[in-house]
Amino acid sequence: MTKTILRALAGETLPVPPIWMMRQAGRYLPEYRAMRAKAGDFLSLCYTPDLAAEVTLQPIRRYGFDAAILFADILLLPQALGADLWFVTGEGPRLSTITTAAELAALKPKDAIHETLAPVYETVRILAQELPKDTTLIGFAGAPWTVATYMIAGRGTPDQGPAHALKAADRTTFAALIDLLTEATIDYLSAQVEAGAEVVKLFDSWAGSLKGADFDDFALKPAKRIIEGLKARHPGLPVIAFPREAGERYVGFAKVTGADCVAIDNSVSAEWAAANVQRDGCVQGNLDPSLLVTGGDKLIAETRRVREAFANGPHIFNLGHGITPEADPENVARMIAAIRG
Ligand code: CP3
């Protein structure tokens, strides 16, 4: 029997949707915090295959999710291209910035990425061996626009202002950065698939700030190129795309890009997404992650509502965004029980 996630991705409507959670390996779990302390810091955890594989497995052991997502980060790719990367505890990522053609030219060529990323592929190989036979292994990368927003600003930004400013001031350099990331992402995800990833997910966390033709040029087109490039090398590879906060632009996203599934954030209703997005195929989402902090009857009611809204088509149950460090691990168990009954 084929794995449930793969069946949903192939368009099958299942009586009980398969489940996993964005950021399921993370700080809300005491066993994760212990392993991170053992590694010393977040990047050491990402680059130590035995430890990265172990934290990937923690939520699978605890909850029996239907999918495991490789433990890594979308910012490892810019690091592999030569950007400096570090994490400031309690604040988030910092990178050396790219704001000129000269800085872009000083990055490494895409063929150099595997030297830095080899430990990530080793983590995937370990997981392909260690995961329960019914659990699907998901690899991932950031989408070019989202990764570029961090590379240009050197950090996370509320409105992606520096990236929009470079796009306006020097479109040639901006587009060349998007191109480099597009090509490097095909190679990066392809290497994850060769190591044993069965599905890949493209995280475009800041897609919502691209409007009009910019959304076409820098969210849709790079996703289409990446998905076409991957499927040419790995026929039949299922791809999940997450153009977060795309709103109306979720409609038709799968058709245009060739994605097998679109992940939906919780700023749109499940009922709207069922009517307008799920008609093109599998969708993933979209429980509000704050409910895993607050819990109670509302968590159960909303979990059931999301499940019901998507029950007439292919659906992978997930959150609208990552689970937060403040979430109660017991609430995750309650959410799963409300779905599996
Ligand atoms: O469990 C999983 O989902 C797999 C691992 C994973 C991480 N990051 C681990 C992580 C995945 C898929 C990501 C994706 C990622 N990373 C995204 C896209 C998804 C999203 O959340 O929108 C983005 C934008 C990043 C960049 C990033 N990494 C930021 C902005 C931060 C700091 C904010 C934060 O949550 O702390 C990180 C750090 C990070 N990545 C952590 C984890 C578990 C926390 C690090 C820690 O342990 O201190």
Side-chain angles (χ1 to χ4, degrees), residues 25-49:
R27 288 161 292 180
Y28 74 105
L29 288 178
E31 60 268 35
Y32 170 84
R33 295 194 297 269
M35 198 58 69
R36 206 187 76 152
K38 185 175 165 189
D41 62 89
F42 174 66
L43 284 175
S44 303
L45 189 51
C46 291
Y47 286 119
T48 310

Side-chain angles (χ1 to χ4, degrees), residues 23-25 27 32 36 42 69 72-73 140 150 205 321:
R23 291 280 173 99
Q24 64 189 20
R27 288 161 292 180
Y32 170 84
R36 206 187 76 152
F42 174 66
I69 184 158
D73 198 86
F140 74 93
Y150 288 94
S205 304
H321 200 193

